[in-house]
Amino acid sequence: MTRYTQANWRDDDGERYEPLLSEKASQTVEVESSALPDDLTRDSLTLPAPAEPELARHYTRLSQMNYGVESGPFPLGSCTMKYNPSFTEDIASLPAAAVHPDRPDSTVQGTLALCHRLQQYLGDIGGMDAVTLQPPAGAAGEFTGIRIAKAYHDSNGDDRSEVVIPDSAHGTNFATAAMAGYSVVELPSGDDGRVDLDALAAAVGDETAALMLTNPNTLGLFERDIEQIADIVHDAGGLLYYDGANLNALLGRARPGDMGFDVMHYNVHKTFATPHGGGGPGAGPVGVTEALAQFLPDPHVRERDGDGRGDYEYYRPDDSIGKVHGYYGNWPVLVKAFAYIARLGDAGLADASAKAVLNANYLAEQIPYEVPFGPFHHEFVASAAPQDAADVAKGMLDHGVHPPTTKWPEIVDEALMTEPTEGESRRSLDQLAAAFEAVHGEDDGTLARAPSRTAAGRIDQVRAARSPRLSWQALDSEQ
Ligand SMILES: *Cc1c(COP(=O)(O)O)cnc(C)c1O
């Protein structure tokens, strides 16, 4: 098994150290005059001024002290941290892909054509009649989709107050429903990790605006009863919302629209291409059935009917829920998604989902941890018990691989939610399996101290999340 030691720069006192750019070289700029009020301005500003080699080395060192999908496998379940082919970056960086948002429709026909074609691609992939590209993330797509569902019910004079969500769902589903003004009805999973039809029938009723569901679910399990689930929700007058984060398992094989879903989002950064994580960037286009299309956000792109001003235009759908972003949405991410879909084509997309599922099943066979629920698709949730899942994750870092998502969903004890993704070779899956194997054999004392071969040791994750220091000044003022 490969031995791994991450780059580890230290100062003379042995403290971890890579100077800030402004510590390496800086220059002070005097500000002469400004139209802004005095209390908002300063007289001088110190800016980093390193020479190019110093700049290049700084970022290279930081990247060596970090771990990314270009360092090795990154099986962070649900997040889909797959390798993104660089041709999509090349296309998103073409001068023609940079367009000023305020240019009139008639001068940006190519841009609008790309939007329109991507709307159609996504509609075909999801089995949806209309797609908006506006929402800038999966979570923003959820919020947009649930607001569309609300607008639909409101337009029927149907005042509903609840959204039903399985207990295994992603946290953003609960947040979305609450932010859209609904109360959340949590649906306990059945013994097989799937939606329990009796529990569902008991949970839905006159107050149900929607059921939010991902399929396969976060355990990687296909909801085999999806047609009955759709009937139960529709019979109660509710809509079916598809959380598209797990579309990688279905791509080119099955479509949420055909399963009875009325509205869905696509996490294009997870399913197609865009390096993401740490808060961005992404895009969360939303697809809807014909009955919901009039509520899509403003602006929307459509084909124009031959008035000579170009073939495509922006317009505001009749009963639009309004703005959720602006202009072209998160444009570079959408261009990458377009490039990826166009390059792969139908056969390539179906191949991607086959490999995503094959890789997850291969890896699960190799590891020493129990996987309580199956058969699964593109991801699986193993149980680290009696080990602590967080210790297992930290231990894996010492073996040069990124760990899986841990401790979620809670229906698996000490969950290790693992999604190798379609991009990994058998060799890198074996590397992952070897890391699982090594950590499985380690004693609790060693694991509790891990990681020891990375640039940063075990960090205080709770403090990092609860009181982040987002600027150098904030850190400085605390010391
Ligand atoms: C990632 C994810 C989301 C949220 O998507 P973002 O693009 O991160 O906002 C929602 N549901 C599931 C199941 C996810 O994995």
Side-chain angles (χ1 to χ4, degrees):
M1 149 145 219
T2 17
R3 256 198 86 82
Y4 174 79
T5 307
Q6 199 165 40
N8 197 338
W9 301 96
R10 308 241 155 203
D11 66 9
D12 292 342
D13 301 324
E15 290 292 317
R16 262 191 291 280
Y17 193 57
E18 167 57 19
L20 296 177
L21 286 176
S22 55
E23 293 174 296
K24 291 187 188 234
S26 61
Q27 70 174 37
T28 301
V29 189
E30 303 298 329
V31 181
E32 277 166 18
S33 70
S34 162
L36 295 170
D38 283 348
D39 56 344
L40 294 179
T41 60
R42 47 190 153 186
D43 304 329
S44 69
L45 180 63
T46 302
L47 296 170
E52 184 173 325
E54 278 182 298
L55 187 71
R57 286 172 195 156
H58 176 70
Y59 286 112
T60 301
R61 285 186 183 200
L62 291 182
S63 77
Q64 289 170 339
M65 294 160 72
N66 208 337
Y67 187 93
V69 80
E70 289 173 345
S71 325
F74 206 128
L76 202 56
S78 209
C79 302
T80 318
M81 307 301 282
K82 69 180 180 185
Y83 176 80
N84 296 277
S86 57
F87 78 87
T88 62
E89 298 287 341
D90 295 342
I91 290 174
S93 334
L94 291 173
V99 53
H100 192 284
D102 266 332
R103 280 174 53 175
D105 288 5
S106 63
T107 70
V108 287
Q109 285 297 304
T111 303
L112 295 181
L114 189 150
C115 292
H116 191 259
R117 200 164 324 155
L118 182 57
Q119 288 172 191
Q120 286 183 321
Y121 282 172
L122 294 174
D124 287 348
I125 287 168
M128 293 284 147
D129 297 320
V131 174
T132 171
L133 304 178
Q134 291 279 308
E142 288 175 31
F143 187 57
T144 302
I146 290 295
R147 279 179 55 207
I148 289 173
K150 184 167 193 319
Y152 168 80
H153 290 307
D154 288 351
S155 75
N156 292 334
D158 194 359
D159 193 14
R160 292 170 175 253
S161 63
E162 293 172 356
V163 169
V164 182
I165 306 174
D167 57 3
S168 64
H170 197 258
T172 48
N173 291 186
F174 301 95
T176 289
M179 279 183 68
Y182 288 109
S183 41
V184 173
V185 178
E186 191 171 313
L187 194 63
S189 300
D191 292 341
D192 64 351
R194 295 179 172 83
V195 170
D196 175 336
L197 292 182
D198 293 335
L200 177 66
V204 301
D206 291 348
E207 292 299 328
T208 307
L211 168 72
M212 294 181 84
L213 200 66
T214 177
N215 193 18
N217 68 20
T218 51
L219 293 168
L221 310 178
F222 191 77
E223 297 287 356
R224 289 183 289 232
D225 298 327
I226 186 61
E227 285 167 342
Q228 285 106 299
I229 292 172
D231 287 345
I232 292 171
V233 175
H234 287 152
D235 288 348
L239 296 175
L240 221 63
Y241 183 92
Y242 181 77
D243 175 341
N246 294 321
L247 195 62
N248 293 47
L250 303 183
L251 216 46
R253 292 166 190 281
R255 310 192 310 167
D258 299 336
M259 298 175 200
F261 286 95
D262 304 284
V263 41
M264 68 176 287
H265 77 263
Y266 306 76
N267 298 65
V268 297
H269 43 294
K270 295 180 182 176
T271 304
F272 307 112
T274 285
H276 63 279
V286 168
V288 295
T289 55
E290 192 65 53
L292 302 179
Q294 77 219 54
F295 306 107
L296 287 174
D298 169 35
H300 191 60
V301 177
R302 72 175 166 200
E303 257 174 315
R304 227 200 295 258
D305 39 13
D307 59 1
R309 285 181 298 134
D311 294 332
Y312 300 98
E313 67 179 349
Y314 267 144
Y315 78 108
R316 184 186 165 95
D318 292 343
D319 301 308
S320 174
I321 59 165
K323 297 275 181 195
V324 302
H325 192 270
Y327 300 107
Y328 309 109
N330 205 355
W331 177 242
V333 177
L334 297 170
V335 175
K336 288 180 220 178
F338 175 83
Y340 184 87
I341 296 170
R343 172 73 183 262
L344 265 66
D346 289 344
L349 294 177
D351 190 47
S353 58
K355 286 185 175 138
V357 174
L358 178 64
N359 282 359
N361 280 270
Y362 175 81
L363 181 61
E365 280 294 315
Q366 312 301 314
I367 68 169
Y369 294 98
E370 189 210 348
V371 181
F373 295 106
F376 48 82
H377 285 66
H378 66 307
E379 68 187 1
F380 62 87
V381 183
S383 172
Q387 289 178 305
D388 184 305
D391 286 350
V392 169
K394 299 298 178 194
M396 288 181 74
L397 293 171
D398 272 340
H399 295 280
V401 298
H402 198 281
T405 299
T406 56
K407 308 227 179 203
W408 177 71
E410 287 169 8
I411 43 181
V412 172
D413 196 19
E414 298 300 331
L416 297 170
M417 184 196 230
T418 315
E419 182 182 8
T421 80
E422 64 270 25
E424 297 303 329
S425 63
R426 179 166 175 182
R427 188 185 161 89
S428 70
L429 295 172
D430 287 340
Q431 186 193 350
L432 267 175
F436 273 109
E437 187 76 47
V439 169
H440 186 253
E442 254 154 34
D443 62 84
D444 290 351
T446 310
L447 277 188
R449 286 188 303 275
S452 57
R453 296 202 284 271
T454 50
R458 191 172 286 216
I459 57 161
D460 183 342
Q461 300 187 154
V462 174
R463 191 156 154 237
R466 296 260 162 85
S467 30
R469 288 176 300 207
L470 299 177
S471 72
W472 179 249
Q473 284 93 331
L475 181 64
D476 228 14
S477 65
E478 259 179 55
Q479 281 174 349

